[in-house]
Amino acid sequence: MSVRVRFAPSPTGYLHIGSARTALFNYLYARNTGGKFLLRIEDTDLARSTEESTESILEGLEWLGFAPDEEIVFQSNNAEKHRAVAKRLLAEGKAYRDFTPKVAPTDLNIKDAIKDRARAGQGEKNIRDNEYRDLPVAESEARATSGEPFAIRLKVLESGKTAFEDEVYGLQERDYAETEDLVLLRSDGHPLYNLAVICDDIEMKITHVIRGQDHLTNTHKQILIYEALGVEPPTFAHLPLIMAPNKGKLSKRKHGEVVSMTTYRDAGFLAEAFRNFLALLGWSAGEEQEIYTLDDLITKFSLAGIHRSNAVFNFTENDPRRWTDDKAQWMNAEYIRTLPLDALLPHVRVELKSAKLWREEYDDDDRAWFEKTIDLIRQRFFTLKDFSSQGRAYFSEDYDFDPTAVAKNLARFPELREWLPMLADRFETEFADAAREQGLNLRFTEENIETVVKKFTEERATKLGVVMNGSRTLLTGTAVGPSMLSVFETLGLERSILRLRSGLAWNL
RNA sequence: GUCCGGUUCGUCUAGGGGUUAGGACACCGCCCUUUCACGGCGGCAACACGGGUUCAAAUCCCGUACCGGAUACCA
């Protein structure tokens, strides 16, 4: 039977980094086994589900490149089927009506309330102790027809245990005594999570359920339902969780944007880099390799390579340099400078377009220049954003000067105020005039530029670095960048002369 | 509370009876150099603790501690 897996987020917020990794592992497993990757939106919590969330999750998945192989399933569309299944179990005596009035939510926070209740009931209450559990069928029917509200609960056996072989955590067992008679259908007719998931997984013919370790106890409950239904459960693989730097829960509310997928897209991350990073959080191929193409990941992925311990997603709040995991940042920079140029170019184009720095010629007459320039400047970049910020001077005359760069490379050498325009004159005579008047063809190349600049500095008995660094700041606005010789060549003779003569930076 | 997991450098991890406990990121130093990076070389840095088993334990077993998850008419 061919593999079918699903990613099943509930749309109560944007695509979380943990969910993204779950999606990734499902995707990799599907591709590795030649199976299908499906998407199901679990939008049954009417109070919390929003359309914006669904959109945001879809955006995140699209960015990561995980397109579902079949149409997206919206769980809320199946509520009627879920109800029918609950009623079937009721008719078969595998579930019962619970007429206990619904308890109003406390003013405590919900998690604390649950914990309190669990602790309080400890040792006193038998979890099977429900007066309606063995209510005679006739009476149950009568009360129901009289309009009395009821929830439908699964009738869990008194003794025995659920067991399954988890592909990651191994044999998992749980005594029935640990599992309450879980509610299948709410008294308002609303089907609950565990029921809905199973019905949909069965209908979607899911063979492998790969999801977070926080679902481990749900799995035992779900197996109970599978058994009641007489359906063979799928294979389960639970994933370790991704934790915050303090090893606590990584939450949207507490940690904000750093856990959202769209943040990374908007910050200029490459999806291939982020995927690579995510894959290594809780999984490894057991080798000393860090960089994996998607194809590599697909071939090497296996459930056996998934860890059992949680991984920390490391970042430092209030430190702009460490706003997200160091390794993720390194990985992105690594991809920026090593990705085949053809693969990088489309991303750069998008970035330049959104910064209004794009020109059609880059795709046409100036294509060779453009590619060479990108290849030159990408060596020092960390994100796609850098192409439009730090790299701005390569694409526009309207660029900013970094004050510290000006202080360091220009202000400290007042003589440069005269020298740099003089260097422009020299360029003109050596490259432009010479070529025009004498028919010489001295090209504005690194090698020739070096000869000219060296001679120029020797005449002034100054260090090469002074002129080079001053030029860099004047021509690009920064103190950092590629070799100044390649900057000159890349900018070209005309722009170099123009900028060397401009007094812009001096007026800061 | 109870049940279920987990624990190798700061972080991600390799290793699963005999290793100088390996790699990556981060950090530090040196080299390269017109700047800053990149790159190269080197350094710092870990088997939670206590008992067993064994000639030999980071590795197997038991316990403790700590961390995490779950414990809803949420998903």
Side-chain angles (χ1 to χ4, degrees), chain A residues 424-461:
Chain A
D425 295 344
R426 179 68 58 91
F427 278 173
E428 196 156 57
T429 40
E430 293 287 342
F431 297 100
D433 295 346
R436 194 167 50 237
E437 291 163 17
Q438 303 161 28
L440 289 178
N441 193 17
L442 189 56
R443 292 175 54 230
F444 196 61
T445 59
E446 289 190 36
E447 197 183 323
N448 294 335
I449 296 166
E450 182 171 22
T451 313
V452 171
V453 177
K454 268 195 173 148
K455 182 153 175 273
F456 183 84
T457 53
E458 278 160 16
E459 288 165 12
R460 280 156 188 79

Side-chain angles (χ1 to χ4, degrees), chain A residues 145-158:
Chain A
T145 37
S146 81
E148 191 176 344
F150 59 86
I152 296 181
R153 305 188 94 113
L154 187 71
K155 201 170 190 175
V156 178
L157 258 35
E158 299 276 358

Side-chain angles (χ1 to χ4, degrees), chain A residues 22 31 46 90 116 120 131 164 209 255 301 390 440 473:
Chain A
T22 301
R31 289 292 168 271
L46 17 287
L90 180 64
D116 276 4
E131 57 175 311
F164 67 94
V209 171
H255 303 101
F301 187 77
Q390 298 189 58
L440 289 178
T473 299

Side-chain angles (χ1 to χ4, degrees), chain A residues 1-7 25-39 67-71 204-208 210:
Chain A
M1 186 170 53
S2 89
V3 166
R4 291 169 68 84
V5 298
R6 86 295 197 279
F7 172 56
F25 285 7
N26 273 283
Y27 178 84
L28 292 178
Y29 189 66
R31 289 292 168 271
N32 174 270
T33 56
K36 294 254 192 280
F37 170 74
L38 312 184
L39 178 60
D69 295 320
E70 291 176 10
E71 212 170 316
M204 291 166 80
K205 298 183 162 52
I206 299 303
T207 60
H208 297 253
I210 303 170

Side-chain angles (χ1 to χ4, degrees), chain A residues 468-484:
Chain A
M468 288 300 201
N469 293 332
S471 301
R472 186 192 326 279
T473 299
L474 191 54
L475 270 62
T476 67
T478 68
V480 309
S483 149
M484 197 52 213

Side-chain angles (χ1 to χ4, degrees), chain A residues 265-486:
Chain A
R265 179 197 60 191
D266 298 342
F269 273 67
L270 253 13
E272 35 276 81
F274 207 80
R275 260 192 245 125
N276 194 157
F277 169 74
L278 236 31
L280 264 21
L281 220 47
W283 171 83
S284 94
E287 57 187 5
E288 290 179 356
Q289 184 180 333
E290 305 286 336
I291 303 297
Y292 292 91
T293 63
L294 187 58
D295 284 343
D296 272 342
L297 289 174
I298 289 170
T299 356
K300 292 182 175 170
F301 187 77
S302 77
L303 298 178
I306 297 173
H307 308 150
R308 279 161 290 272
S309 54
N310 295 340
V312 169
F313 181 60
N314 209 3
F315 58 94
T316 310
E317 273 157 314
N318 306 320
D319 182 347
R321 254 185 70 231
R322 300 234 160 125
W323 68 276
T324 190
D325 197 289
D326 277 333
K327 201 155 185 174
Q329 299 203 59
W330 167 79
M331 188 86 69
N332 198 53
E334 182 71 15
Y335 269 79
I336 295 258
R337 56 180 174 253
T338 61
L339 205 63
L341 202 56
D342 284 345
L344 181 68
L345 253 19
H347 295 115
V348 175
R349 177 184 334 180
V350 169
E351 176 55 29
L352 293 186
K353 273 184 178 164
S354 78
K356 306 231 184 314
L357 292 172
W358 175 258
R359 288 196 234 163
E360 288 310 319
E361 302 89 87
Y362 296 158
D363 240 353
D364 192 13
D365 291 352
D366 291 341
R367 192 182 173 92
W369 173 83
F370 183 68
E371 291 185 0
K372 201 177 156 203
T373 302
I374 295 303
D375 199 27
L376 177 72
I377 60 183
R378 69 166 169 162
Q379 298 307 325
R380 288 165 178 75
F381 288 172
F382 284 77
T383 75
L384 291 170
K385 289 281 161 211
D386 293 336
F387 286 97
S388 62
S389 54
Q390 298 189 58
R392 191 178 174 91
Y394 295 87
F395 310 108
S396 167
E397 292 308 311
D398 175 26
Y399 54 93
D400 292 330
F401 293 94
D402 170 11
T404 48
V406 172
K408 182 182 166 201
N409 294 332
L410 291 173
R412 275 172 58 216
F413 307 99
E415 59 274 27
L416 286 175
R417 193 162 189 166
E418 287 178 21
W419 288 357
L420 294 182
M422 287 166 80
L423 180 59
D425 295 344
R426 179 68 58 91
F427 278 173
E428 196 156 57
T429 40
E430 293 287 342
F431 297 100
D433 295 346
R436 194 167 50 237
E437 291 163 17
Q438 303 161 28
L440 289 178
N441 193 17
L442 189 56
R443 292 175 54 230
F444 196 61
T445 59
E446 289 190 36
E447 197 183 323
N448 294 335
I449 296 166
E450 182 171 22
T451 313
V452 171
V453 177
K454 268 195 173 148
K455 182 153 175 273
F456 183 84
T457 53
E458 278 160 16
E459 288 165 12
R460 280 156 188 79
T462 188
K463 282 185 189 160
L464 188 62
V466 172
V467 170
M468 288 300 201
N469 293 332
S471 301
R472 186 192 326 279
T473 299
L474 191 54
L475 270 62
T476 67
T478 68
V480 309
S483 149
M484 197 52 213
L485 295 171
S486 28

Side-chain angles (χ1 to χ4, degrees), chain A residues 206-217:
Chain A
I206 299 303
T207 60
H208 297 253
V209 171
I210 303 170
R211 60 176 24 156
Q213 185 244 71
D214 50 336
H215 284 288
L216 232 22
T217 49

